[in-house]
Amino acid sequence: MFDIKWIRDNPDAFDKAMSQRKNLSVRSADLIAIDERRRQVIVRLNEAQEKRNTLSKQIGQAKAQKDEAKAAELMAEVARLKDFIPSGEAEERAVEKELRDALSAIPNMALDDVPVGDDESGNVEYFGLNGSPATAAGMRPAKPSFAFAPKEHFDIGVADKNMDFEIAAKLSGSRFVVLKGQVARLERALGQFMLDLHTNEHGYLEVQPPFLVRDEAMYGTGQLPKFDGDFFFTAHGESRLALIPTAEVPLTNLVRESILAEEELPLRFTALTPSFRSEAGSAGRDTRGMLRQHQFNKVELVSVTTPEESVNEHERMLACAETVMQRLGLHYRVMNLCTGDMGFSARKTYDIEVWLPGQDTYREISSVSVCGDFQARRMEARYRPAGEKQAPRYVHTLNGSGTAVGRCLIAVLENYQQEDGSVLIPEALQPYMNGLTAIGGR
RNA sequence: GGAGAGAUGGCCGAGUGGUCGAAGGCGCACGCCUGGAAAGUGUGUAGGCGGGGAACCGUCUCGAGGGUUCGAAUCCCUCUCUCUCCGCCA
């Protein structure tokens, strides 16, 4: 959420940023007009309240001195104010809500180095800040070559036997899968491997959060109010709870409504959780296989930092996610998303796209975003800067997949498939697979 | 699900209609004291919003939201959460 004061002071920068986003007709002038009304109401209301408070104290004093006549006189005077105060309060609430509603539907503003573009065709490949492109690329596993035509994951022998879409459809409908045997085991191994990597080597705190959250939490990270239709909700008394579309929601909201000490930062959280998405707008897309499911496991990374550190933390988080690809020997590229392709809360986003030889294409397996204070303002998450008597400031939040387990399973299957339908197990996963070096062999 | 108790500042804890954003204690910060420290001692110690160049001033906030009243931490209503006992249960 934007700070209206910032918009007031930087209307041109705001309008320029909004023009770079897709399908938006937001103008600073409209917001400033609401704010103008809001402040007028506040000034009038405060004046009336001040008068009331002063007179009420005098009534108290008069009563203490048993001067009933004076008290009655003052009470008559203050009674006249009563016409305005309740309506003024109602008016203030209404205009505050109007402003908040308007602001909460506005997406974040891109950082200066984000490429401007309308859609994914405007994304730019990213080779890392440090070192030459060649150095960064040198850390990335090479594209595998095959002596046969590589298959898509669901056609590979071992997966074909252990990935049951038919029974899943009977249980739950389309876009669900039942994994069995060694494929189920491999999925579990991937999740454990990633979680261990981030907790043991990258300094993230393991968290096991709720998978059902209130609307307020979804609002805090920016999923609501705009994208209500993208998620699953379950009835809960008179109310409802959302099934988390990503662990970003509970992990980021861990700091909501709090004032942290600067010394505590950065906070780094990771969790392995299911993610639930309605995929309402993607009918007919990626219908085969388990690329796009209503439910999938994901290891999420969340960092909470100071404004000064958030951009560095973004690069660090990207490196943490890239390490997963590197350890698994999966070829990938990193894209710097353009303004038109970024999510609602992000100021800048890197997508890691893994190579899928069966599809002969790159597919997103991780998305790493820095959100600035956008979510913090929605969550009321602040920190007190070190040193004496500093006012609290909003924290900066970041989130990234580290990585999507379901899609990583697809990537391992497709990249390590053998002609006989078996799949080799990357070395890093073998300890999690009871030492197996391959699955699906005879 | 039934019955009951509770929610006050960073923490503990007073406060049941009047000058209370709120006693006292702890913690913390700065100072004094000390060769240095401890002890002692003094001062300070919430956030939001609005006005103002600033100093500062006003206003709102005692779980949340409404209401009663000239005036609410204190009275009423609704909600949320926590705790205890019973029931049920992985």
Short mmCIF file of all heavy atoms in Angstrom, two decimals, chain A residues 374-415:
data_model
loop_
_atom_site.label_atom_id
_atom_site.label_comp_id
_atom_site.label_asym_id
_atom_site.label_seq_id
_atom_site.Cartn_x
_atom_site.Cartn_y
_atom_site.Cartn_z
N PHE A 374 5.68 -2.02 1.03
CA PHE A 374 4.31 -2.15 0.54
C PHE A 374 3.46 -3.07 1.42
O PHE A 374 2.34 -2.73 1.80
CB PHE A 374 4.36 -2.69 -0.89
CG PHE A 374 3.05 -2.73 -1.61
CD1 PHE A 374 2.56 -1.61 -2.27
CD2 PHE A 374 2.30 -3.90 -1.65
CE1 PHE A 374 1.36 -1.66 -2.96
CE2 PHE A 374 1.09 -3.95 -2.34
CZ PHE A 374 0.63 -2.83 -2.99
N GLN A 375 4.00 -4.24 1.75
CA GLN A 375 3.27 -5.17 2.60
C GLN A 375 3.34 -4.73 4.06
O GLN A 375 2.37 -4.90 4.82
CB GLN A 375 3.86 -6.58 2.46
CG GLN A 375 3.70 -7.15 1.05
CD GLN A 375 4.34 -8.52 0.90
OE1 GLN A 375 5.42 -8.78 1.44
NE2 GLN A 375 3.71 -9.40 0.14
N ALA A 376 4.49 -4.18 4.44
CA ALA A 376 4.66 -3.76 5.84
C ALA A 376 3.62 -2.73 6.23
O ALA A 376 3.08 -2.75 7.33
CB ALA A 376 6.06 -3.19 6.04
N ARG A 377 3.31 -1.82 5.30
CA ARG A 377 2.31 -0.79 5.59
C ARG A 377 0.95 -1.42 5.76
O ARG A 377 0.16 -1.01 6.61
CB ARG A 377 2.32 0.25 4.47
CG ARG A 377 1.47 1.46 4.78
CD ARG A 377 1.71 2.60 3.80
NE ARG A 377 2.84 3.42 4.19
CZ ARG A 377 3.98 3.50 3.52
NH1 ARG A 377 4.13 2.82 2.41
NH2 ARG A 377 4.97 4.24 3.95
N ARG A 378 0.65 -2.44 4.96
CA ARG A 378 -0.63 -3.14 5.11
C ARG A 378 -0.69 -3.93 6.41
O ARG A 378 -1.75 -4.11 6.99
CB ARG A 378 -0.82 -4.11 3.94
CG ARG A 378 -1.05 -3.42 2.62
CD ARG A 378 -0.97 -4.42 1.48
NE ARG A 378 -1.59 -3.85 0.30
CZ ARG A 378 -2.79 -4.21 -0.18
NH1 ARG A 378 -3.46 -5.18 0.38
NH2 ARG A 378 -3.29 -3.61 -1.21
N MET A 379 0.46 -4.44 6.83
CA MET A 379 0.48 -5.31 8.03
C MET A 379 0.78 -4.54 9.31
O MET A 379 0.73 -5.11 10.38
CB MET A 379 1.58 -6.37 7.89
CG MET A 379 1.39 -7.35 6.78
SD MET A 379 2.63 -8.65 6.90
CE MET A 379 4.15 -7.70 6.80
N GLU A 380 1.17 -3.26 9.18
CA GLU A 380 1.64 -2.49 10.33
C GLU A 380 2.86 -3.17 10.95
O GLU A 380 2.92 -3.41 12.16
CB GLU A 380 0.54 -2.31 11.38
CG GLU A 380 -0.45 -1.20 11.02
CD GLU A 380 0.22 0.16 10.84
OE1 GLU A 380 1.14 0.48 11.61
OE2 GLU A 380 -0.17 0.87 9.89
N ALA A 381 3.81 -3.51 10.12
CA ALA A 381 5.05 -4.17 10.58
C ALA A 381 6.18 -3.15 10.53
O ALA A 381 6.56 -2.70 9.45
CB ALA A 381 5.37 -5.37 9.71
N ARG A 382 6.68 -2.79 11.69
CA ARG A 382 7.70 -1.73 11.76
C ARG A 382 8.91 -2.19 12.56
O ARG A 382 8.89 -3.25 13.19
CB ARG A 382 7.09 -0.48 12.39
CG ARG A 382 6.05 0.17 11.50
CD ARG A 382 5.32 1.27 12.19
NE ARG A 382 4.46 0.75 13.26
CZ ARG A 382 3.78 1.51 14.10
NH1 ARG A 382 3.85 2.81 14.03
NH2 ARG A 382 3.04 0.95 15.03
N TYR A 383 9.93 -1.37 12.54
CA TYR A 383 11.08 -1.63 13.40
C TYR A 383 11.57 -0.29 13.93
O TYR A 383 11.31 0.76 13.36
CB TYR A 383 12.20 -2.34 12.63
CG TYR A 383 13.00 -1.44 11.72
CD1 TYR A 383 14.25 -0.96 12.12
CD2 TYR A 383 12.49 -1.05 10.48
CE1 TYR A 383 14.98 -0.12 11.29
CE2 TYR A 383 13.22 -0.21 9.66
CZ TYR A 383 14.46 0.25 10.06
OH TYR A 383 15.17 1.09 9.25
N ARG A 384 12.24 -0.37 15.07
CA ARG A 384 12.78 0.85 15.66
C ARG A 384 14.26 0.91 15.32
O ARG A 384 15.03 0.02 15.71
CB ARG A 384 12.58 0.84 17.17
CG ARG A 384 12.71 2.21 17.81
CD ARG A 384 12.48 2.14 19.30
NE ARG A 384 11.11 1.76 19.64
CZ ARG A 384 10.06 2.59 19.59
NH1 ARG A 384 10.25 3.83 19.20
NH2 ARG A 384 8.86 2.18 19.92
N PRO A 385 14.69 1.94 14.57
CA PRO A 385 16.10 2.03 14.19
C PRO A 385 16.99 2.10 15.43
O PRO A 385 16.59 2.67 16.45
CB PRO A 385 16.17 3.34 13.40
CG PRO A 385 14.78 3.58 12.92
CD PRO A 385 13.88 3.02 13.98
N ALA A 386 18.17 1.52 15.33
CA ALA A 386 19.11 1.54 16.44
C ALA A 386 19.47 2.99 16.75
O ALA A 386 19.40 3.87 15.90
CB ALA A 386 20.35 0.74 16.09
N GLY A 387 19.88 3.23 18.00
CA GLY A 387 20.21 4.59 18.38
C GLY A 387 19.08 5.17 19.20
O GLY A 387 18.05 4.54 19.41
N GLU A 388 19.28 6.41 19.60
CA GLU A 388 18.38 7.00 20.58
C GLU A 388 17.13 7.58 19.94
O GLU A 388 17.18 8.27 18.94
CB GLU A 388 19.13 8.10 21.33
CG GLU A 388 18.93 8.04 22.82
CD GLU A 388 19.61 9.21 23.48
OE1 GLU A 388 20.70 9.60 23.02
OE2 GLU A 388 19.04 9.73 24.44
N LYS A 389 16.00 7.29 20.55
CA LYS A 389 14.74 7.98 20.24
C LYS A 389 14.45 8.13 18.76
O LYS A 389 14.18 9.22 18.28
CB LYS A 389 14.77 9.38 20.88
CG LYS A 389 14.87 9.35 22.37
CD LYS A 389 13.87 10.30 23.00
CE LYS A 389 13.90 10.10 24.50
NZ LYS A 389 13.24 11.13 25.26
N GLN A 390 14.51 7.06 18.07
CA GLN A 390 14.16 7.10 16.65
C GLN A 390 12.72 6.63 16.48
O GLN A 390 12.30 5.69 17.12
CB GLN A 390 15.09 6.17 15.87
CG GLN A 390 16.54 6.60 15.94
CD GLN A 390 16.97 7.24 14.65
OE1 GLN A 390 16.25 8.03 14.06
NE2 GLN A 390 18.18 6.92 14.21
N ALA A 391 12.02 7.31 15.61
CA ALA A 391 10.66 6.90 15.33
C ALA A 391 10.67 5.57 14.58
O ALA A 391 11.60 5.29 13.82
CB ALA A 391 9.96 7.96 14.49
N PRO A 392 9.65 4.74 14.79
CA PRO A 392 9.59 3.46 14.06
C PRO A 392 9.46 3.69 12.56
O PRO A 392 8.86 4.68 12.13
CB PRO A 392 8.33 2.80 14.61
CG PRO A 392 8.02 3.51 15.87
CD PRO A 392 8.53 4.91 15.71
N ARG A 393 10.02 2.81 11.80
CA ARG A 393 9.89 2.85 10.33
C ARG A 393 9.33 1.50 9.88
O ARG A 393 9.49 0.49 10.55
CB ARG A 393 11.26 3.03 9.67
CG ARG A 393 12.01 4.26 10.12
CD ARG A 393 13.46 4.20 9.64
NE ARG A 393 13.60 4.41 8.19
CZ ARG A 393 14.73 4.16 7.52
NH1 ARG A 393 15.78 3.64 8.14
NH2 ARG A 393 14.79 4.39 6.24
N TYR A 394 8.74 1.53 8.70
CA TYR A 394 8.23 0.27 8.16
C TYR A 394 9.40 -0.61 7.72
O TYR A 394 10.39 -0.11 7.18
CB TYR A 394 7.31 0.53 6.98
CG TYR A 394 5.97 1.09 7.39
CD1 TYR A 394 5.63 2.41 7.17
CD2 TYR A 394 5.05 0.28 8.06
CE1 TYR A 394 4.41 2.93 7.59
CE2 TYR A 394 3.83 0.78 8.48
CZ TYR A 394 3.51 2.10 8.24
OH TYR A 394 2.31 2.60 8.67
N VAL A 395 9.28 -1.90 7.96
CA VAL A 395 10.29 -2.85 7.49
C VAL A 395 10.11 -3.05 5.98
O VAL A 395 9.12 -2.63 5.40
CB VAL A 395 10.16 -4.22 8.19
CG1 VAL A 395 10.42 -4.09 9.68
CG2 VAL A 395 8.80 -4.85 7.93
N HIS A 396 11.10 -3.67 5.38
CA HIS A 396 10.95 -4.12 4.01
C HIS A 396 10.79 -5.65 4.03
O HIS A 396 11.42 -6.32 4.83
CB HIS A 396 12.16 -3.72 3.16
CG HIS A 396 12.08 -2.31 2.67
ND1 HIS A 396 12.75 -1.85 1.56
CD2 HIS A 396 11.37 -1.24 3.14
CE1 HIS A 396 12.47 -0.57 1.37
NE2 HIS A 396 11.65 -0.17 2.31
N THR A 397 9.95 -6.15 3.14
CA THR A 397 9.72 -7.59 3.11
C THR A 397 10.10 -8.15 1.74
O THR A 397 9.99 -7.46 0.72
CB THR A 397 8.25 -7.93 3.39
OG1 THR A 397 7.42 -7.29 2.41
CG2 THR A 397 7.84 -7.48 4.77
N LEU A 398 10.56 -9.40 1.77
CA LEU A 398 10.90 -10.11 0.54
C LEU A 398 10.38 -11.52 0.62
O LEU A 398 10.27 -12.08 1.72
CB LEU A 398 12.42 -10.18 0.34
CG LEU A 398 13.18 -8.88 0.30
CD1 LEU A 398 13.72 -8.52 1.67
CD2 LEU A 398 14.32 -8.97 -0.71
N ASN A 399 10.06 -12.07 -0.52
CA ASN A 399 9.65 -13.46 -0.54
C ASN A 399 10.13 -14.12 -1.81
O ASN A 399 10.29 -13.46 -2.84
CB ASN A 399 8.14 -13.60 -0.41
CG ASN A 399 7.41 -12.97 -1.57
OD1 ASN A 399 7.27 -13.58 -2.63
ND2 ASN A 399 6.95 -11.73 -1.39
N GLY A 400 10.38 -15.41 -1.71
CA GLY A 400 10.80 -16.14 -2.89
C GLY A 400 10.56 -17.63 -2.71
O GLY A 400 10.57 -18.12 -1.59
N SER A 401 10.34 -18.30 -3.81
CA SER A 401 10.21 -19.75 -3.70
C SER A 401 11.59 -20.35 -3.71
O SER A 401 12.46 -19.91 -4.46
CB SER A 401 9.39 -20.31 -4.87
OG SER A 401 8.96 -19.28 -5.73
N GLY A 402 11.73 -21.35 -2.88
CA GLY A 402 13.09 -21.91 -2.78
C GLY A 402 13.17 -23.42 -2.83
O GLY A 402 13.86 -23.95 -2.02
N THR A 403 12.48 -24.10 -3.68
CA THR A 403 11.65 -23.66 -4.81
C THR A 403 10.31 -24.43 -4.80
O THR A 403 10.05 -25.16 -3.83
CB THR A 403 12.33 -24.01 -6.16
OG1 THR A 403 12.47 -25.44 -6.23
CG2 THR A 403 13.71 -23.39 -6.25
N ALA A 404 9.54 -24.29 -5.86
CA ALA A 404 8.31 -25.05 -5.99
C ALA A 404 8.65 -26.53 -6.11
O ALA A 404 9.36 -26.95 -7.02
CB ALA A 404 7.54 -24.58 -7.22
N VAL A 405 8.17 -27.34 -5.15
CA VAL A 405 8.57 -28.74 -5.10
C VAL A 405 7.96 -29.53 -6.25
O VAL A 405 8.64 -30.35 -6.89
CB VAL A 405 8.20 -29.37 -3.74
CG1 VAL A 405 8.56 -30.85 -3.71
CG2 VAL A 405 8.91 -28.63 -2.61
N GLY A 406 6.70 -29.29 -6.51
CA GLY A 406 6.02 -30.03 -7.58
C GLY A 406 6.69 -29.82 -8.93
O GLY A 406 6.94 -30.78 -9.68
N ARG A 407 6.99 -28.59 -9.23
CA ARG A 407 7.63 -28.31 -10.51
C ARG A 407 9.07 -28.81 -10.53
O ARG A 407 9.60 -29.20 -11.58
CB ARG A 407 7.57 -26.82 -10.83
CG ARG A 407 6.16 -26.39 -11.21
CD ARG A 407 6.12 -25.02 -11.84
NE ARG A 407 4.75 -24.75 -12.31
CZ ARG A 407 4.38 -23.63 -12.91
NH1 ARG A 407 5.27 -22.66 -13.11
NH2 ARG A 407 3.13 -23.46 -13.31
N CYS A 408 9.71 -28.81 -9.37
CA CYS A 408 11.07 -29.33 -9.30
C CYS A 408 11.08 -30.83 -9.55
O CYS A 408 12.00 -31.37 -10.18
CB CYS A 408 11.68 -29.00 -7.94
SG CYS A 408 13.47 -29.06 -7.94
N LEU A 409 10.04 -31.50 -9.07
CA LEU A 409 9.90 -32.93 -9.34
C LEU A 409 9.82 -33.16 -10.85
O LEU A 409 10.49 -34.05 -11.39
CB LEU A 409 8.64 -33.46 -8.65
CG LEU A 409 8.27 -34.91 -8.95
CD1 LEU A 409 9.29 -35.86 -8.33
CD2 LEU A 409 6.86 -35.22 -8.46
N ILE A 410 9.02 -32.36 -11.52
CA ILE A 410 8.91 -32.46 -12.98
C ILE A 410 10.28 -32.28 -13.62
O ILE A 410 10.69 -33.04 -14.51
CB ILE A 410 7.95 -31.38 -13.52
CG1 ILE A 410 6.52 -31.63 -13.03
CG2 ILE A 410 8.00 -31.32 -15.04
CD1 ILE A 410 5.56 -30.50 -13.39
N ALA A 411 11.02 -31.27 -13.13
CA ALA A 411 12.32 -30.96 -13.72
C ALA A 411 13.31 -32.11 -13.53
O ALA A 411 14.04 -32.47 -14.47
CB ALA A 411 12.87 -29.67 -13.10
N VAL A 412 13.32 -32.70 -12.35
CA VAL A 412 14.24 -33.82 -12.11
C VAL A 412 13.87 -34.99 -13.02
O VAL A 412 14.73 -35.60 -13.64
CB VAL A 412 14.21 -34.24 -10.62
CG1 VAL A 412 14.95 -35.56 -10.42
CG2 VAL A 412 14.84 -33.15 -9.76
N LEU A 413 12.57 -35.26 -13.09
CA LEU A 413 12.14 -36.38 -13.93
C LEU A 413 12.55 -36.16 -15.38
O LEU A 413 13.11 -37.05 -16.03
CB LEU A 413 10.62 -36.55 -13.84
CG LEU A 413 10.06 -37.02 -12.48
CD1 LEU A 413 8.53 -36.92 -12.47
CD2 LEU A 413 10.52 -38.44 -12.15
N GLU A 414 12.28 -34.98 -15.89
CA GLU A 414 12.55 -34.74 -17.32
C GLU A 414 14.04 -34.66 -17.62
O GLU A 414 14.51 -35.12 -18.65
CB GLU A 414 11.82 -33.48 -17.80
CG GLU A 414 10.30 -33.65 -17.79
CD GLU A 414 9.56 -32.66 -18.68
OE1 GLU A 414 10.21 -31.91 -19.43
OE2 GLU A 414 8.30 -32.64 -18.61
N ASN A 415 14.79 -34.05 -16.71
CA ASN A 415 16.21 -33.85 -16.98
C ASN A 415 17.05 -35.10 -16.73
O ASN A 415 18.12 -35.24 -17.30
CB ASN A 415 16.76 -32.69 -16.15
CG ASN A 415 16.40 -31.33 -16.74
OD1 ASN A 415 17.07 -30.83 -17.64
ND2 ASN A 415 15.30 -30.75 -16.25
#
